[in-house]
Amino acid sequence: MTEMVYGTLPRQGGEPVLPRWWRTIDKLTLIFILVLFGIGLLLGFAASPPLAEKNGFEPFHYVFRQGFFGSIALIVMVSVSVMSPLMVRRLGVLGFVAAFIALALLPVLGTDFGKGATRWYSLGFASVQPSEFLKPGFVIVTAWLMAASQEINGPPGKIMSFSLVLTIVLFLAMQPDFGQAALILFGWGVMYFVAGAPIFLLIGIAVLVVLGGMFAYNNSEHFARRIDGFLNPDIDPTTQMGYATNAIREGGYFGVGVGEGQVKWSLPDAHTDFIIAVAAEEYGLVLVLAIIFLFLVITVRSLYRLMRERDPFARIAGTGLACMFGIQAFINMGVAVRLLPAKGMTLPFVSYGGSSLVAGGIAVGMLLALTRTRPQGVIGDHFIGRGRGTLGQNK
């Protein structure tokens, strides 16, 4: 009877999840990530057969594994990118706790696979590197603490995050894994800067980093050997750096041809840490510049979208994720061309590696979620509005 008198109210249905996700996602970044993964598979066909032959597998055994783990990474990436910032924060906190416990237990339960650094858990069919999964969780937890410190009567989040990063760096240095430690410290510094750290404090932290490097050089044979090799003007042609440098030189502008490269037969890590050397030798400078362009656009475009973000947590966390993504690519390629000391660090979505691929999918999924278009004004409007309110109260 009520409906006959007053009529029925139209049902207010929300926009379905997938259409809303597709409308608000950064499509160009998503496409470029898929292109990077495709390039990784292409280079895998060139770099993996020598290793497969050495270990008694089918020629493209590692390519198939990369495709399998990469598919998982892409599914995880899309799944995480659908989440709201609140859900991203919850996932990040839970992931950080699990990864931190796994990192702390490495000296007891981990293995080094004969590489001199205890960084992995062996599962028989695969291995897991906790530090890879720690990075996105660390960014989320740190951003949460820094954002909370900006609230009235908020906790001392910046001091807490500083204690947290020192603890993690100490655990990583004990493995030793100075590359990941430096990456974690860099990400924290960028987020601290975005959260409003005084410049003198950042200078003081930089001084502490230099002093820490000097201490590591004097007390770690592993670290000192890497630095000495980097500073030595003469490159031993029989070392990994020598093989990589020669491959890049031989590739020229357009490469020696698909499948014609030789560096993959000499470098034990041609499919992981030195994958860019394979790209340079077989496909030349053209492909290397294309890869650099993809990483540059993804990083800069994400930072540009975050400049309009009004939520402090999303802005700080997104900046940390974007900068760590970009600097990891820079470190990997910088090592190959001898701009940086040798570091065991993969090229995101291009290098072979189950942990790095899946963890990269989580990190980029979080970045895509935090850079999605949401109904809000630019951050400048927020401060202008607050200023107008204050002027009104003063009147």
Side-chain angles (χ1 to χ4, degrees):
M1 179 66 69
T2 303
E3 293 178 357
M4 293 176 63
V5 175
Y6 297 103
T8 58
L9 293 174
R11 183 178 179 181
Q12 301 295 330
E15 184 179 7
V17 174
L18 288 180
R20 184 172 68 250
W21 169 80
W22 181 249
R23 178 175 55 82
T24 58
I25 199 74
D26 184 358
K27 301 177 184 63
L28 185 62
T29 294
L30 179 62
I31 292 171
F32 278 12
I33 290 293
L34 295 176
V35 173
L36 283 175
F37 178 61
I39 292 175
L41 288 178
L42 176 67
L43 296 177
F45 279 104
S48 66
L51 182 65
E53 180 180 318
K54 177 182 176 181
N55 294 330
F57 296 122
E58 294 294 326
F60 300 118
H61 170 79
Y62 292 102
V63 180
F64 296 144
R65 286 177 62 88
Q66 185 172 1
F68 172 74
F69 287 115
S71 299
I72 295 176
L74 295 178
I75 293 173
V76 169
M77 180 186 71
V78 172
S79 301
V80 174
S81 69
V82 176
M83 297 181 178
S84 66
L86 177 60
M87 291 300 297
V88 168
R89 190 177 69 192
R90 291 174 178 173
L91 174 65
V93 171
L94 292 175
F96 172 78
V97 172
F100 184 78
I101 293 174
L103 182 71
L105 293 177
L106 271 177
V108 180
L109 303 176
T111 180
D112 62 356
F113 289 110
K115 297 185 178 182
T118 307
R119 304 176 185 174
W120 300 271
Y121 286 103
S122 177
L123 304 180
F125 62 93
S127 61
V128 177
Q129 187 174 354
S131 62
E132 292 287 351
F133 295 93
L134 183 75
K135 290 184 292 187
F138 166 78
V139 170
I140 297 302
V141 171
T142 301
W144 185 24
L145 291 172
M146 291 183 180
S149 69
Q150 298 179 2
E151 299 176 359
I152 299 176
N153 298 323
K158 294 180 180 178
I159 297 176
M160 295 168 66
S161 70
F162 183 64
S163 302
L164 184 63
V165 73
L166 288 182
T167 303
I168 293 173
V169 167
L170 179 62
F171 273 111
L172 291 172
M174 290 170 57
Q175 293 184 3
D177 191 349
F178 296 106
Q180 295 288 6
L183 187 60
I184 289 285
L185 196 58
F186 169 82
W188 176 85
V190 169
M191 289 187 289
Y192 203 11
F193 175 78
V194 173
I199 186 65
F200 291 106
L201 180 59
L202 292 175
I203 293 175
I205 293 173
V207 172
L208 289 177
V209 170
V210 173
L211 294 176
M214 294 173 61
F215 177 82
Y217 180 82
N218 293 321
N219 293 273
S220 172
E221 181 182 351
H222 174 81
F223 185 80
R225 186 170 59 252
R226 294 287 180 91
I227 298 298
D228 291 339
F230 171 69
L231 296 177
N232 189 352
D234 299 322
I235 304 176
D236 185 351
T238 62
T239 62
Q240 290 192 104
M241 194 62 66
Y243 289 129
T245 303
N246 183 67
I248 294 172
R249 186 186 303 113
E250 292 293 328
Y253 289 104
F254 302 104
V256 299
V258 180
E260 300 298 324
Q262 298 301 314
V263 70
K264 57 195 177 187
W265 297 98
S266 306
L267 277 174
D269 296 323
H271 62 311
T272 54
D273 300 349
F274 289 93
I275 191 68
I276 199 69
V278 177
E281 185 180 29
E282 298 205 357
Y283 297 92
L285 182 63
V286 174
L287 181 60
V288 174
L289 290 178
I291 293 173
I292 294 174
F293 174 77
L294 291 172
F295 279 107
L296 184 63
V297 170
I298 292 171
T299 304
V300 174
R301 183 177 174 84
S302 298
L303 293 175
Y304 175 76
R305 292 172 70 94
L306 289 165
M307 288 173 62
R308 300 175 292 175
E309 179 59 57
R310 291 172 58 177
D311 180 7
F313 164 74
R315 188 169 63 253
I316 297 171
T319 301
L321 290 168
C323 289
M324 288 181 68
F325 177 82
I327 202 66
Q328 180 171 339
F330 171 77
I331 291 174
N332 176 276
M333 291 184 281
V335 167
V337 297
R338 209 164 179 262
L339 286 176
L340 297 170
K343 300 288 182 185
M345 196 169 293
T346 58
L347 189 60
F349 289 96
V350 179
S351 297
Y352 170 83
S355 293
S356 62
L357 279 170
V358 177
I362 296 173
V364 174
M366 290 177 172
L367 179 60
L368 288 171
L370 296 174
T371 56
R372 285 172 58 187
T373 303
R374 285 184 288 275
Q376 60 182 348
V378 297
I379 188 171
D381 297 339
H382 177 63
F383 291 113
I384 292 173
R386 291 180 61 182
R388 289 173 178 171
T390 303
L391 289 174
Q393 291 175 3
N394 291 336
K395 292 179 179 178

